[in-house]
Amino acid sequence: MRSPTIVLDNLAKQATREDYKIRRLYRNLYNVEFYLMAYSRIYSKEGNMTKGVDEQTIDGMSLERIEQLIESLKDYSYQPKPSKRVYIPKKNGDKRPLGIPSFEDKLLQEIVRMLLESIYEKNFSDLSHGFRPERSCHTALTQIRDRFTGVKWFIEGDIKGFFDNISHHKLISILKRKIEDEAFINLIWKFLRAGYLEEWNHYKTYSGAPQGGLISPILSNIYLNELDQYIKMYKLQFDKGKARKRLKEYRTREARLQRAKKRYKLKWAEMNDTEKEKSQFHVKNLKEHMMELPYKDPMDENYKRLQYTRYADDILIGVIGSKEDCRKIKQDLTIFLEKELELELSQEKTLITHSEDRARFLGYDIKISHDNTTTKYTASGYKQRTRTMVCELLLPHDIWRNKLLEYKALKIDSNTQKWKSTHRAHLLQNDDLEILSTYNAEIRGLYNYYRLANNVYKLDNFKFIMEYSMYKTFANKYKSSVRKVIRKYSINGHFGVRYDTSKGKKVSFFYKDGFKKQNIASKGSEIDVIPTGRNKIYNRTSLIERLLAGKCEWCESNDVPLEIHHIRKLKDLKGKKRWEKRMIERNRKTMALCKACHRKLHNGKLD
């Protein structure tokens, strides 16, 4: 069998050829090594322990399950099971539908995802960031910060129910441009039409991405790459002029300054100290008068630019042009989405915003600074404006306020609107270290996401409320006061919790690292990065080696078929049984067992 890494790399090389069609793709689904690779990538996710409609989970994973799946693909009898639909709460109080596929479907979809990613990734636009290797929300935001300088208008694109309205026929026609393998295309059809199960009623799906499917993100990117390419061509026609012309009034004031400098230079030797001081003051005033205006004409009709960034179905367009230009772009975008992709652009939610105001994108506020006062001197001694028309990323006030309300660390008096930190009742049963760790994780999590913001320092206010909420939680737990709690846990002036480890006593302190803005490179951020099968050598993990070893890790029988026992979290184990103690000692959430031992474990008879 060919190595999955070699197959994926070859696909990536061939896919860059515009005239090349990918054939014989389906046969890769007969390769056991692909399943082992997919298994090693997804096994650690907690969601794999949630039962699908077949009541199966990742627990009991074996080579036999893989072989049965391959046989069903060979005789084309494979049929993905409908996703089990559940609902999770949204921030606005509504509920979001979530699909839970069976584990076998997840495993196969991960292989299909890797194959599709190898074929399409290099052909995707540099302006697309969602669900792609080495890209994230941060790379999208960094791109906006770097490229939207001078933008006068924002267009905040909103596609109505994108993931639920992807046209299956249109998606398949896009795939067929690159892939000439009916068996593989038919498999995609099966995933698209698998449907979902809700309250034991089966509902067919005639549009949209597979509910909860691992291939949904890559399919959505393949679909919206059509939009990216359209915008690329649109930009070529829209952009106009090499540079803005210089502002006439600025040139007048600059000439007045230069004449004054020249005049005073000629008379400098003849001037007394008072006259010199007056001349310097005059030149300074003329320069400040000149700096009140932009160097180039912001209303130059012969200069236009369009910038675009997309993260999944979130779109932000920056326009250097008129508001009428923005209305035309919005109209053209509406027509393209409707005719070419059978999608609807929400006219109410697709906002045209002036750059002095704030546009919301990926939880950040985006605005263009119109500050003419912030200046610095260049190396040659000239004064230079540093903030004029610069794109700024900002932390919205309502984001961290709503987080405090979500965590139940804050109460706002409905009459006076005064804020007050409060204890969190659901944490009272946790031990001291768990309470402290929860607060620290929540503070770090918010900071890690908003560390690009110019005003990220405002998280000091968030931290202050969280800190006193933590004090009150400890005080409520021990029926004490905030003052006594601070005194009890104070270590060298910092709040800390001592705890025991195998290497002795340690101390964990409350967050004290501050909130400093960070400039992250355009690629490589670790926020929401998904695994990729490309450009990485696939080495079998210890889990795969244990599965293939044929040796039961309990009874030590050799040359026997194994099943991998999975648990959701190590901390769920109580450590009373010997097999639990062994998993805790080895710090593993898996154990390779023969069928007999695995059956005994689930029947409570292994010890």
Side-chain angles (χ1 to χ4, degrees), residues 500-533:
D500 295 320
T501 70
S502 57
K503 296 181 180 179
K505 288 186 177 292
K506 288 191 175 182
V507 179
S508 180
F509 288 102
F510 180 69
Y511 184 85
K512 55 181 179 178
D513 294 335
F515 304 102
K516 186 179 179 182
K517 178 190 170 186
Q518 296 181 14
N519 293 317
I520 299 174
S522 59
K523 288 190 179 182
S525 177
E526 291 301 318
I527 299 291
D528 67 13
V529 172
I530 60 171
T532 172

Side-chain angles (χ1 to χ4, degrees), residues 486 489-496 509-510 512:
I486 294 173
Y489 289 91
S490 180
I491 302 172
N492 297 325
H494 296 287
F495 188 94
F509 288 102
F510 180 69
K512 55 181 179 178

Side-chain angles (χ1 to χ4, degrees), residues 42-55:
I42 66 174
Y43 82 92
S44 60
K45 297 179 181 178
E46 291 181 16
N48 292 321
M49 291 300 294
T50 304
K51 293 180 180 179
V53 296
D54 58 356
E55 295 297 306

Side-chain angles (χ1 to χ4, degrees), residues 344-394:
E344 183 180 355
L345 188 73
S346 172
Q347 299 303 305
E348 301 79 24
K349 293 182 179 179
T350 299
L351 306 175
I352 297 174
T353 310
H354 194 273
S355 63
E356 282 186 336
D357 300 320
R358 299 184 178 194
R360 185 65 61 90
F361 186 72
L362 298 179
Y364 276 71
D365 277 346
I366 317 292
K367 73 182 289 287
I368 302 298
S369 170
H370 288 70
D371 180 10
N372 285 326
T373 61
T374 306
T375 60
K376 72 174 184 179
Y377 285 93
T378 64
S380 56
Y382 289 100
K383 221 174 184 182
Q384 185 181 53
R385 283 172 289 212
T386 57
R387 303 304 309 160
T388 305
M389 302 307 288
V390 170
C391 184
E392 293 182 341
L393 308 179
L394 300 171

Side-chain angles (χ1 to χ4, degrees), residues 13 34 36 38 176 178 236 255 387 425 461 479 493 552 573:
K13 289 174 185 176
F34 262 108
L36 297 176
K176 283 184 174 181
K178 203 75 180 172
L236 291 174
R387 303 304 309 160
N461 300 322
K479 309 301 179 189
C552 176
L573 298 177

Side-chain angles (χ1 to χ4, degrees), residues 378-427:
T378 64
S380 56
Y382 289 100
K383 221 174 184 182
Q384 185 181 53
R385 283 172 289 212
T386 57
R387 303 304 309 160
T388 305
M389 302 307 288
V390 170
C391 184
E392 293 182 341
L393 308 179
L394 300 171
L395 164 66
H397 176 271
D398 61 293
I399 292 289
W400 60 268
R401 181 203 62 197
N402 292 343
K403 273 293 179 186
L404 290 169
L405 294 172
E406 179 188 331
Y407 294 149
K408 297 182 179 177
L410 172 70
K411 280 186 178 179
I412 301 178
D413 189 287
S414 56
N415 296 319
T416 64
Q417 294 299 305
K418 285 187 176 180
W419 290 20
K420 186 178 180 181
S421 59
T422 182
H423 77 278
R424 298 165 71 180
H426 64 281
L427 295 178

